[in-house]
Amino acid sequence: GIALVALAAMSTWQSGATMLASVATHREYRGRGLATRLAKDSLYYARSGGVSTVALAVNSDNAAAIRAYGKAGFLRLHAMRIFEPALTL
């Protein structure tokens, strides 16, 4: 049968920024270059639509995603720290 094993999603924010919002690969299909291919295809799609810059955010401990995005042509420009409120009960 047919199964969804990987996906990519892009979004354009109200500011006009285009983001590669998500790339996901099913656990059993990781390591086959699917995320890199999807990221490359997403960039091609954006460029063919006139977009000159595509940004993304990735957790710094997600080495596989960082490698895939690097192979797709993304460069690290900034590092951000994200803080969440402490839960109080």
Side-chain angles (χ1 to χ4, degrees):
I2 297 173
L4 178 65
V5 299
L7 63 87
M10 296 186 71
S11 64
T12 302
W13 292 8
Q14 287 181 337
S15 66
T18 299
M19 301 289 295
L20 180 56
S22 180
V23 175
T25 305
H26 188 282
R27 181 173 289 120
E28 293 177 18
Y29 292 85
R30 292 180 184 161
R32 300 179 189 195
L34 296 173
T36 299
R37 179 81 256 156
L38 285 170
K40 283 182 179 181
D41 288 350
S42 296
L43 287 175
Y44 176 81
Y45 175 79
R47 287 184 184 131
S48 68
V51 174
S52 61
T53 303
V54 176
L56 63 83
V58 61
N59 289 331
S60 61
D61 63 348
N62 191 341
I66 292 168
R67 276 192 307 274
Y69 297 139
K71 289 178 185 178
F74 283 92
L75 302 173
R76 180 180 176 191
L77 298 179
H78 304 283
M80 297 179 359
R81 291 187 182 179
I82 298 174
F83 298 91
E84 295 181 9
L87 296 177
T88 56
L89 301 176

